[in-house]
Each structure stands twice: as structure tokens, then as C-alpha cells.
Amino acid sequence: MTRRFLSLLASCAGLALAAFATPAAAQSTGSATLDAIRARGALVCGTSADLPGFAMLDQKGEFTGLYTDFCRAVAAAALGDASKVRFVTTTYANRLTALQSGEIDILSSNTTWTQPREAALGLMFTGVLFYDGQGFLVSKKLGVKSIRELDGASVCVQPGTTTEKNLADFFRASNMRLNPVVIESVEEIRNAMIAGRCDAFTVGTSTLAAFRAGLGARADDFVVLPELISKEPLGPVVRKGDDRFFDLVRWTQYAMTLAEEFGIASKNIAQRMDDPQPDVQRLLGRAGDFGKDMGVNAAWAANIIRQVGNYAEIWDRNVAPMGLPRGRNALYTQGGLHYAPPIR
């Protein structure tokens, strides 16, 4: 009788342990990256800290900008809480290795989508968050109206970037003499421009706008030339091999684009939850479960919109105050390039 009781007790204990173990096993999302994010309770986002409007560490010690808000949107989709992001400041030199090594989950910064970065580095771009092009900022004192007048100029450029190669290629192809001044720190470049050490600074127009805004009272002493010498599609980057996490990051951006297209914003999402349009119902998780195959719940897109906003909202909050027009970054319905596939 005693042995039978002990055996029954052991069986019950085993069942109890199995009951506790089963939910943990069931919590696997099918994505190693997403599982790690949930285990630590935060998305680790690599970004810049000195790009006003895009990725900036403000005086309160908080990150602001288009790129950092995108990471908050991914956190809202993955964890249901946009505040669960740990930002890691990366540089042009270490940003890709930080992602490769697993130090960060996602890189959301001024990083140009190029073939070698995907084919050779084990990384994947999830989309284009900002369509940019490489331009030039010059001092008004030079009286320069075109980049063709920069023959023999000293040009500030950051190392380890596509802009450095584009600059050399352009000057070589144009039979122009180039005196590159290679400086990594934006603050040092700002000092070099003010001191007259560099005749020009070249980088994507988004960075140029942020750079010029950071000059404060001296901003009017400089002008951005009208020509561009490259295409610079800038977007979030993740590691290859985790397709489910890749899908989640990609569709985070698509959800924000679709929300803008449908006129759904953080301020009116409560009223739009009962919108009978099928596309809206699917986006907001009211019809079907389109989060399941990405390892998240049906409210993933609604969480993004409610907590962070649609694409227009993060643009207006961060980029518009610098005076940059939407241009190519407008919706396709307004002459821009942002076009999201449907959720259905």
C-alpha cells in the first residue's frame, strides 16, 4: 500500500513538473532571435547617437529619431510594448560587426543597402526605411554652385562608408582632383568645416540636413548643393538565417506604411477598430491571425500603430522639423516610393 502510494505520488509529481515545463516549451516562437528578445525582455537595437531627426541621444539621455522609433515599433510588434528597447550606440566602423556577432538584434541606422553587405556578410536588409542619395554641403564663402566646381577641393568624408567609395569613384570618373579628409566623428567634421579645414562634406542628404541643423547659428553659412552622386537606400538590417524574425521586422515597416495609406494613426486607431473594410480588419487583427506565422499575436500591427504611429507620424515627429520634404519617401499614391504589399 505504501509502495503504491509512493509510486502514485511520484507520478503526480512528474505530471506536475511536466505541466510547468510544457508552457515554457510552448512559448518558442520558431525564431531564435525573437526567443532571445523575449527571454531578456527587450529588443537590442544598434543605432547612431548624433543624427538629429534620425537617431539622436538627446539631453535627457533618450534616443529620438526615425530610426530609433522604428526599433520601438519592432518592440511593440515583438513584445507588445514599444518601450522595451535597449539602444546600443554603434559607429560606422563597428555597426555591421556588432550585428554579425549578436551584440545587437537589429541595426537601424544610416546604413546603405548594397549587394556585398548581403551577399558576403551574412546580413539582410528588411526594406528601405529612407530613400536617400549622396550630396555635398559647402561653405557659402566658396561661391560654389555645382559639385563640378569642386576640382581639387578638400572633402570631409567618414571612413568605412559607401560614401567614401562613391566620392573617389565620382571624382575619378569626372577627371577631378580630390583631397579627402577622412574623419569618423560628426562633431570633428563639424569643427573642421567651421574652421575651413574642409571645403565640403559629403554624405547622404539625410545626414547633411541633420548635420546642418546641428550647426545652430552657423547653419546659414553653409548650403547643400543640388546634385546627387548616388542612390542610398537606407534600411534596417538583421542577420541571415532567422526568416521569422526577418519577416517580423519587414512587416513592421509595411504595417506602418499600410496604416498611413488607410488613414489609421495613433490618435484614431480606437475609432477604426470596428472599421468594416476587410483590409483594415486584417491589419488591426480583427479578422484572421496574421501574426501567428511570425511568432506574435494578432494585435502586433495594432500595437505598433497605437504605441508608435504610422510612417507619416514618425516622419512628422522627427524629420519634418528639419525642413526635409517627403519627396521619394512619400507614399506611392502621392508620387513617392513607399508601397506596401497587402495583408491577406
Side-chain angles (χ1 to χ4, degrees):
M1 186 72 169
T2 303
R3 282 197 297 270
R4 184 178 299 174
F5 175 75
L6 291 174
S7 176
L8 180 61
L9 187 62
S11 297
C12 289
L15 289 172
L17 287 172
F20 279 109
T22 300
Q27 288 174 0
S28 176
T29 63
S31 160
T33 307
L34 189 52
D35 286 345
I37 290 167
R38 289 189 172 168
R40 81 170 76 94
L43 172 79
V44 182
C45 172
T47 193
S48 302
D50 54 4
L51 294 174
F54 293 90
M56 183 73 181
L57 186 61
D58 65 19
Q59 294 179 342
K60 298 178 181 178
E62 297 178 356
F63 280 88
T64 63
L66 188 80
Y67 302 140
T68 54
D69 271 356
F70 182 76
C71 280
R72 292 185 176 96
V74 175
L79 299 170
D81 188 340
S83 70
K84 292 184 177 180
V85 183
R86 179 162 63 86
F87 292 104
V88 173
T89 301
T90 55
T91 66
Y92 285 104
N94 73 7
R95 56 188 171 165
L96 299 177
T97 54
L99 182 59
Q100 289 172 314
S101 68
E103 180 184 345
I104 58 178
D105 300 314
I106 179 174
L107 175 64
S108 184
S109 184
N110 258 27
T111 307
T112 302
W113 187 349
T114 66
Q115 186 267 352
R117 285 176 174 169
E118 280 202 332
L121 300 183
L123 306 176
M124 292 187 75
F125 286 76
T126 61
V128 180
L129 192 61
F130 185 88
Y131 290 93
D132 204 356
Q134 185 171 336
F136 289 77
L137 179 84
V138 300
S139 170
K140 287 182 179 178
K141 291 180 180 179
L142 294 178
V144 172
K145 303 296 183 184
S146 167
I147 54 177
R148 301 288 176 179
E149 300 174 51
L150 292 176
D151 187 17
S154 297
V155 183
C156 274
V157 63
Q158 292 172 295
T161 63
T162 55
T163 56
E164 187 178 18
K165 184 178 187 303
N166 293 339
L167 175 66
D169 287 349
F170 175 79
F171 270 71
R172 187 183 306 111
S174 302
N175 254 343
M176 294 166 57
R177 292 169 294 124
L178 170 66
N179 295 312
V181 180
V182 181
I183 304 173
E184 181 166 340
S185 165
V186 171
E187 188 58 38
E188 288 183 32
I189 292 176
R190 189 173 287 118
N191 294 334
M193 290 294 292
I194 291 174
R197 183 181 168 196
C198 296
D199 299 313
F201 172 37
T202 184
V203 73
T205 57
S206 59
T207 303
L208 287 181
F211 180 88
R212 188 170 180 271
L215 289 168
R218 298 294 301 273
D220 288 339
D221 295 341
F222 298 87
V223 62
V224 177
L225 298 178
E227 305 106 321
L228 299 177
I229 66 170
S230 73
K231 294 185 294 185
E232 302 294 331
L234 308 174
V237 198
V238 297
R239 289 180 294 278
K240 280 183 179 177
D242 194 332
D243 292 346
R244 184 159 282 195
F245 185 63
F246 170 87
D247 289 342
L248 182 62
V249 177
R250 167 179 274 186
W251 282 93
T252 291
Q253 181 176 341
Y254 286 156
M256 299 175 86
T257 302
L258 288 170
E260 180 182 358
E261 184 178 344
F262 299 154
I264 306 171
S266 57
K267 293 181 179 178
N268 69 6
I269 186 172
Q271 290 73 42
R272 297 295 299 275
M273 292 301 286
D274 294 322
D275 190 312
Q277 294 181 66
D279 283 338
V280 173
Q281 288 286 292
R282 289 190 287 265
L283 175 65
L284 300 183
R286 307 286 281 182
D289 187 352
F290 293 93
K292 180 175 61 177
D293 292 334
M294 299 188 297
V296 295
N297 63 38
W300 65 278
N303 288 334
I304 294 169
I305 301 163
R306 185 180 295 110
Q307 298 178 39
V308 183
N310 61 33
Y311 185 87
E313 287 182 274
I314 65 171
W315 178 280
D316 292 342
R317 183 161 61 236
N318 298 298
V319 184
M322 296 193 304
L324 273 181
R326 282 285 294 267
R328 288 169 291 183
N329 290 288
L331 293 178
Y332 76 101
T333 54
Q334 299 166 0
L337 297 176
H338 283 293
Y339 182 106
I343 296 177
R344 65 168 179 258

